[in-house]
Amino acid sequence: MGTTVTRGVLLLAGLAAGVYGAVLLLQLDFSRLLSTVVWLAGGVVLHDFVLAPVVVVLGVLLVRVVPDAARRPATVAAVVWGTVTVAALPVLSGQGGKPDNATLLDRPYWTAWLVLTALVLLATVGASLLAARRDHRP
Amino acid sequence: MRLPRVEDFEDRLRVPEVTSRVGSVLGIAFTVCFLTGLWSHWQYGPPGWLTIPTSPAWLYRVTQGTHVLSGTVAIPLLLVKLWSVFPRLFARPVLKPAVPALLHVLERASILVLVASGIFQLVVGLLNTVQWYPWSFSFRSTHYAVAWVMIGALAVHVAVKLPVIRRSFSHRVDADEPAAGSRLSRRGLLRATWVAAGLTFVLSAGQTVPLLRRVSVFGVRSGDGPLGIPINRTAAAAGVPDGSTGDAWQLELSYAGRTVTMDRAALESMPQRTYALPIACVEGWSASGDWTGVPLRDLVESMGAPARSRVFVTSLQTRGAFATSELPEQFVEDERTLLALRLSGEPLTLDHGFPARIIAPNRPGVLQTKWVTRLEVAG
C-alpha cells in the first residue's frame, strides 16, 4: 500500500515537472530549441552508439588479452581511470577560457592527467604482480 | 551481423543489485544538483515568497560549489550506471497485448528522456565551467528548462523501478553471486565506482574548497589571481571603454530626482570598512577576499534615503548580460555590502572592477557588479 502511494506521488510529480520543463523549452525561439534538441540527441547517440560499444569491445579484449592475475586490477583501473578521464575532458579539451584571462584554466591539466595515468598503470602492474605471486604460492 | 540481444551480455555484474546501488547515489547527486541549481536560479529573480538572506555570507558559495561538484561527481556514477543497464537497450519491444505494449513504450520513452536530459545537463554544465559555449542556445534558460525535464523523468523512473529497487536493497549485493574467481566481484565494482567518484571530487573540489587547492589538478581555477582572487571576466572582455576608469571617473548617485557625483577621492574620504567576503561564481569556483570600501547604506543614507532601500547598480561595461544589477533592501541594509575600492589592502585592479565595485554577502559573482558608474536608490 505504502509503496503504491509513493509510486503514484512520484509518477504524478515527475510528469508535472517534466511537462513544466517541456513548456519552458517550447518558449525558446526555434533556432535555440533546435540547438537544444541536437545536443539532447547528440549525448544519447554519443553514449549509446559510440562510447558504450567501445567499452563493450574493450571489455572483451580485456578478458582475452590480459593474463588472469591482472584481470581484476585491470578492470578496477579501467573503471576508475576511464570515468575520471571522461569527467576531466572539459579541462583537457584545450577549449574554453579566454586569452586575456590567466586565472581561468590555469593548471597543467595534461601533465596532471599523464601523472594520473602513470600512477594508475603502476598500481595495476603492482597489484597484478602481487596477485600472480599469491596464485603461485603452493 | 545481427543486433545484439540482452542475453548476449554477461550478466554477472550487470544485475539490479549493482544498478540500484549506483543508481541511488546518482539519483541523490542529481537531486542535490537540481535543488542547488534551483536555488541559484532564484538568486537572479527570486519568486515573491522568497527573501534571499544576507547571512550566512558563505551560503551561495557552498550551494553553488555543491551544485557544480555534485554534477562533476555524477559523471563516473552515470557512466557505471548506464554500463550496468546497457544490454536493456536491446530488449525487444513488447508487441501485445495492447496495455503492456503501451506501458513498455512509455517506460522506454521516459528512460530516453532521462538519459538524454541527464547527459545534456552534465555536459552543458561542465562546458559552462570552462566558459566554452559550442551551441546556439542561451545557457541559463536552457539549463533551467532541461533541469525540470530531467528531475521529472528521474521521479517517473524511480516510480516505475521502486519494486526492483526495494527488492535489490532487501539483500546483500553479493547474494547469489557466483564465485568471481580472478574476476572483479560486484562488491569490487561498487568500490571501484565509489573510488572513481571520490577521486573526481578531490581532483576538482579545490576550485571552491581552499584545503584541496593543491591536490585539485583538474579544477578550472587554481584560486590564484591578481591580489589573490581569480577573475571571471576582464575589463577588456566586458567592453569597459578605454579611459572611462581613469581620473575623470565619477560615481553618480541618485535618489528622488536628485543626482550627486563623487570621485574616487571623495569616496576614499568617507569612513571605510573591511570585510572578508567570498566571490562565488555561478561556474562553481569561489575565493574569499578582504574587501575595503564604503558601506552602501552609508551612501544611501547620505542621500537622505532609508537604509532599507532597493538600489539599481549600473556598470561601465558594454558587453555581457550583467551590466546592471538590483540590490534588494536586505542587502543594502546589511553594512557588509560595500562599494569596494580595495582588495587585500591594495587598490582594486582594473579587472577586479577599479575604480569601484559592489561586493555583498551571499550573492552570485555575476551580481557583484564591477566598474560601477551609477547607483540609483529606488524611491
Side-chain angles (χ1 to χ4, degrees), chain B residues 27-47:
Chain B
I28 291 168
F30 269 157
T31 305
V32 167
C33 211
F34 174 77
L35 293 174
T36 48
L38 200 58
W39 174 251
S40 179
H41 189 78
W42 285 339
Q43 308 291 313
Y44 299 89

Side-chain angles (χ1 to χ4, degrees), chain B residues 27-319:
Chain B
I28 291 168
F30 269 157
T31 305
V32 167
C33 211
F34 174 77
L35 293 174
T36 48
L38 200 58
W39 174 251
S40 179
H41 189 78
W42 285 339
Q43 308 291 313
Y44 299 89
W49 51 265
L50 176 68
T51 303
I52 307 280
T54 62
S55 286
W58 43 261
L59 182 61
Y60 186 76
R61 179 182 197 179
V62 170
T63 61
Q64 195 59 12
T66 304
H67 178 70
V68 172
L69 286 172
S70 58
T72 309
V73 166
I75 290 175
L77 299 171
L78 179 69
L79 288 169
V80 174
K81 166 74 168 70
L82 289 179
W83 175 87
S84 77
V85 291
F86 184 59
R88 309 288 311 153
L89 183 63
F90 302 101
R92 296 300 188 260
V94 179
L95 295 178
K96 57 187 177 182
V99 171
L102 181 68
L103 286 178
H104 179 85
V105 168
L106 288 178
E107 198 217 329
R108 296 291 293 260
S110 77
I111 289 174
L112 175 64
V113 172
L114 178 56
V115 174
S117 58
I119 294 176
F120 180 92
Q121 288 298 79
L122 298 184
V123 169
V124 165
L126 268 196
L127 293 191
N128 181 55
T129 69
V130 299
Q131 298 186 0
W132 182 23
Y133 306 102
W135 49 70
S136 52
F137 49 80
S138 97
F139 172 75
R140 190 156 69 89
S141 50
T142 306
H143 198 56
Y144 178 69
V146 178
W148 282 102
V149 175
M150 184 277 294
I151 203 73
L154 178 61
V156 169
H157 186 57
V158 173
V160 171
K161 296 293 183 191
L162 201 55
V164 183
I165 299 169
R166 289 178 66 123
R167 209 176 313 130
S168 315
F169 274 102
S170 69
H171 50 257
R172 291 173 12 176
V173 66
D174 50 8
D176 79 12
E177 181 180 0
S182 65
R183 298 171 303 180
L184 189 65
S185 65
R186 290 178 195 167
R187 223 166 257 285
L189 174 62
L190 285 182
R191 280 198 199 114
T193 306
W194 309 146
V195 167
L199 199 56
T200 305
F201 177 88
V202 168
L203 292 181
S204 56
Q207 61 202 18
T208 190
V209 182
L211 272 176
L212 290 172
R213 262 184 193 179
R214 285 166 160 277
V215 290
S216 290
V217 287
F218 292 146
V220 290
R221 310 230 176 203
S222 67
D224 272 341
L227 305 179
I229 299 283
I231 285 155
N232 189 48
R233 186 186 265 259
T234 61
V240 175
D242 283 341
S244 64
T245 56
D247 290 339
W249 175 84
Q250 288 199 313
L251 174 74
E252 263 183 39
L253 203 55
S254 84
Y255 172 63
R258 193 165 67 92
T259 300
V260 171
T261 57
M262 297 175 87
D263 60 11
R264 211 181 123 99
L267 287 167
E268 275 176 335
S269 69
M270 292 180 71
Q272 307 284 303
R273 297 286 192 106
T274 299
Y275 292 105
L277 291 172
I279 281 282
C281 185
V282 66
E283 287 153 23
W285 63 270
S286 61
S288 185
D290 291 320
W291 307 89
T292 303
V294 184
L296 199 64
R297 64 176 288 166
D298 290 358
L299 289 167
V300 167
E301 285 177 327
S302 77
M303 294 295 288
R308 234 185 127 66
S309 302
R310 272 178 307 144
V311 171
F312 298 98
V313 185
T314 308
S315 167
L316 289 166
Q317 78 179 69
T318 55
R319 277 201 290 274

